[in-house]
Amino acid sequence: MNDLVRQHTALGESDLEWLHLLVSEWQLLSDLSFADLVLWVPTRDGTRYVSVAQMRPNTGPTSYQDDMVGHLIPRGRRPLLDAALDEGRIVREGDPEWREEVPVRVESIPVRREGRVLGVIARNTNLLTVRTPSRLELTYLQSASDLAQMIAAGSFPFPGQQVDMDASPRVGDGLIRLDADGVVQYASPNALSAYHRLGLASDLVGHHLGQVTADLAPSRGPVDEALVKLASGYAPRETEVEGNGGVIQLRAIPLKPKGTRIGSLVLLRDVTELRRRERELITKDATIREIHHRVKNNLQTVAALLRLQARRMDSASGREALNEAVRRVGSIAIVHETLSQNLDERVQFDEIADRVIAMVAEISPGTVECRRTGRFGILDAEVATPLAMVLTEVLQNALEHAFAAGELGSVEVSAVRGDHRTDSRLLITVQDDGRGLPEGFDAQRAGNLGLQIVRTLVEGELGGTFDMLRVPAPGRGTRVVLDIPVLAQK
């Protein structure tokens, strides 16, 4: 809609925002009218109309099989559009149109904002299935007529009350029509069922909805007065009411077709099962986070015990082996700590990589600078945990073997999410400027425990590849290359 309005019309950004607000609400008008809606806006030169939005009803058959958005028609071809635009009134004159042997009643509703008519809504009703209307259908149509008059007067939609139509109740979920005093004139079967879920044992018609709702909800002191007013439809508001084990979502819409409130529409939906599932998910998420938190604490306890044992070791090699184990356990603990703070089993690995780099850098025998470039991105837990260990081992190997005591140097960790269309691979390079690999060194056969761990995790668990290369002249040092498949994250 933005592109069509800016390309073809003279409307400003505030006018466009009003149209967006209207379109976010007009499913309600379409369903109450049993009709298709098409929003036509005059072009910049005033000689044509452009259709910028379209809505089909959920409550009846459509009048348009094709998409109308983007169509241009000359002024004069649709006299009802011209009359509504020029005269600023709802136009219903004329006989039904026939489209593919289907009779369609066409009406035009001007869209007014601050005294100016921005465009016209063409309301098209398929008359092929018209029958004697029921009480429900009559209530729908009367409510649609009231809303149409409010649109034509510029009092609907309500400024600052943009609604998420995916989350808000719809007409078919349940509808109650109130008079000006908040007394129920009509309640649809779904609406009545929702109130029965809250514990209502009688009918709703003839009762004050606000008072009935407050009586069914648990007593909450001063809040009850606000609930009474909201359920009475005095202002456009949304809320949820819980009672008797049930939860219903309410949305009040004041009806002011001639400027004065004549009543209200209350849309409602039974969301009991939805809220129950949400609470179960919240409980599950909290449990998972607590598990990760406890695993992290246990790993930190293990690392502390290993560190204590290392201090009591007389053998330098034994002490170093225990310190390596401490760092391995620490890298896994970092992942679980990050997972304990998330709502899902995915982590931003850049933060983990930075912490691993800082942890391993503490063992540097010289003044070695460690830095990260590029991005790892978001990774699943089953990738993040082994990758943290791999990164720990590679960095530890570089800092232990590439530099002599007191020697200056640097280690760079570079990460690139490969295949920029899908982010489906992760290429990691760890390069130092140290003494380099000894002659005849084969990374695939080296017996070092750290390299065995790296090979096992990268090739076996992560399904990637691992290699160590001498940096070509004139440079010096060693380059470790890891190529790992990862799931694309949106």
Side-chain angles (χ1 to χ4, degrees):
M1 184 167 72
N2 288 348
D3 292 341
L4 289 171
V5 169
R6 290 167 180 156
Q7 179 182 354
H8 295 285
T9 78
L11 297 183
E13 291 300 315
S14 58
D15 295 329
L16 178 57
E17 188 61 31
W18 182 261
L19 296 185
H20 275 293
L21 188 61
L22 172 65
V23 168
S24 73
E25 292 273 27
W26 71 344
Q27 180 73 64
L28 173 63
L29 178 62
S30 178
D31 290 345
L32 290 173
S33 304
F34 308 97
D36 291 74
L37 306 179
V38 180
L39 177 57
W40 296 94
V41 180
T43 58
R44 191 173 287 105
D45 58 9
T47 62
R48 295 181 296 175
Y49 297 97
V50 58
S51 58
V52 299
Q54 178 178 359
M55 178 58 66
R56 293 183 174 89
N58 294 317
T59 52
T62 183
S63 302
Y64 286 109
Q65 298 299 326
D66 299 326
D67 188 2
M68 295 297 296
V69 176
H71 283 214
L72 289 161
I73 59 172
R75 183 177 171 88
R77 179 177 295 179
R78 303 273 181 91
L80 296 185
L81 293 182
D82 297 340
L85 183 69
D86 297 338
E87 301 173 21
R89 64 181 179 88
I90 299 175
V91 182
R92 298 190 177 94
E93 296 89 348
D95 296 326
E97 297 181 3
W98 286 83
R99 301 175 188 164
E100 299 179 357
E101 299 183 354
V102 175
V104 176
R105 182 174 65 242
V106 180
E107 304 165 88
S108 294
I109 304 168
V111 177
R112 191 184 304 274
R113 174 180 178 266
E114 296 180 353
R116 296 165 44 243
V117 178
L118 307 182
V120 179
I121 295 175
R123 181 164 57 178
N124 303 269
T125 307
N126 187 324
L127 300 178
L128 196 61
T129 58
V130 170
R131 60 187 185 279
T132 302
S134 65
R135 178 74 186 280
L136 179 145
E137 291 169 328
L138 289 173
T139 303
Y140 277 20
L141 293 172
Q142 180 57 54
S143 302
S145 177
D146 293 335
L147 284 177
Q149 292 182 57
M150 292 170 66
I151 292 173
S155 58
F156 186 84
F158 304 109
Q161 293 289 325
Q162 187 159 356
V163 175
D164 181 1
M165 291 306 298
D166 292 332
S168 292
R170 300 198 177 195
V171 170
D173 296 326
L175 179 142
I176 297 175
R177 173 90 185 211
L178 308 178
D179 65 13
D181 297 322
V183 176
V184 178
Q185 294 180 312
Y186 175 78
S188 72
N190 284 346
L192 191 58
S193 296
Y195 266 83
H196 286 166
R197 188 74 176 263
L198 291 181
L200 180 69
S202 62
D203 197 358
L204 276 172
V205 175
H207 295 275
H208 190 279
L209 184 67
Q211 191 59 56
V212 169
T213 305
D215 291 342
L216 293 173
S219 178
R220 294 174 293 177
V223 181
D224 285 345
E225 185 66 26
L227 181 60
V228 170
K229 291 183 177 180
L230 189 149
S232 301
Y234 290 112
R237 294 287 187 273
E238 286 194 40
T239 192
E240 286 189 3
V241 179
E242 185 170 356
N244 195 40
V247 184
I248 63 172
Q249 185 180 13
L250 295 179
R251 182 191 176 199
I253 303 170
L255 297 176
K256 304 176 181 179
K258 296 182 180 179
T260 302
R261 192 174 71 85
I262 63 169
S264 305
L265 280 182
V266 177
L267 304 180
L268 63 153
R269 174 192 294 166
D270 185 346
V271 293
T272 304
E273 292 304 313
L274 177 63
R275 295 296 176 259
R276 181 185 63 81
R277 289 195 296 270
E278 287 178 351
R279 287 167 184 155
E280 288 178 351
L281 287 174
I282 291 172
T283 302
K284 178 182 176 182
D285 288 340
T287 302
I288 291 173
R289 289 199 299 272
E290 179 63 21
I291 289 172
H292 284 302
H293 181 70
R294 293 189 181 190
V295 169
K296 182 263 296 183
N297 288 344
N298 290 338
L299 289 172
Q300 288 179 336
T301 300
V302 171
L305 292 173
L306 291 173
R307 195 176 294 111
L308 286 172
Q309 186 66 39
R311 290 172 184 168
R312 295 175 178 269
M313 291 288 291
D314 295 328
S315 168
S317 61
R319 187 164 51 250
E320 181 56 33
L322 287 176
N323 285 331
E324 287 182 4
V326 168
R327 286 187 287 274
R328 288 167 185 148
V329 172
S331 66
I332 302 174
I334 290 173
V335 176
H336 281 283
E337 181 180 2
T338 305
L339 287 169
S340 70
Q341 300 168 1
N342 292 344
L343 294 177
D344 55 22
E345 291 293 286
R346 295 161 61 190
V347 295
Q348 175 57 259
F349 197 82
D350 293 330
E351 300 174 6
I352 294 175
D354 291 340
R355 294 182 62 181
V356 167
I357 291 170
M359 178 184 68
V360 178
E362 295 176 358
I363 70 164
S364 172
T367 308
V368 179
E369 177 191 6
C370 295
R371 61 181 180 274
R372 173 181 63 86
T373 61
R375 70 178 187 96
F376 288 85
I378 298 175
L379 300 177
D380 290 332
E382 56 264 29
V383 175
T385 302
L387 183 56
M389 281 198 67
V390 167
L391 190 58
T392 300
E393 295 298 333
V394 172
L395 286 169
Q396 187 169 287
N397 188 72
L399 292 173
E400 283 185 356
H401 301 294
F403 306 99
E407 184 179 3
L408 299 177
S410 65
V411 178
E412 179 176 323
V413 179
S414 172
V416 178
R417 290 297 281 264
D419 190 343
H420 297 292
R421 293 169 296 178
T422 63
D423 272 1
S424 61
R425 299 197 72 83
L426 178 59
L427 183 66
I428 305 169
T429 304
V430 180
Q431 182 168 321
D432 63 68
D433 57 1
R435 62 173 64 102
L437 296 173
E439 291 294 334
F441 180 84
D442 185 353
Q444 302 303 322
R445 296 185 180 182
N448 179 287
L449 176 60
L451 293 182
Q452 288 181 9
I453 292 174
V454 171
R455 283 198 302 269
T456 300
L457 292 177
V458 172
E459 297 173 0
E461 189 162 343
L462 295 175
T465 61
F466 156 71
D467 201 3
M468 293 182 71
L469 308 166
R470 181 187 294 272
V471 175
R476 63 189 293 264
T478 303
R479 179 183 299 153
V480 177
V481 180
L482 307 171
D483 189 354
I484 299 170
V486 294
L487 294 177
Q489 305 297 346
K490 301 297 184 185

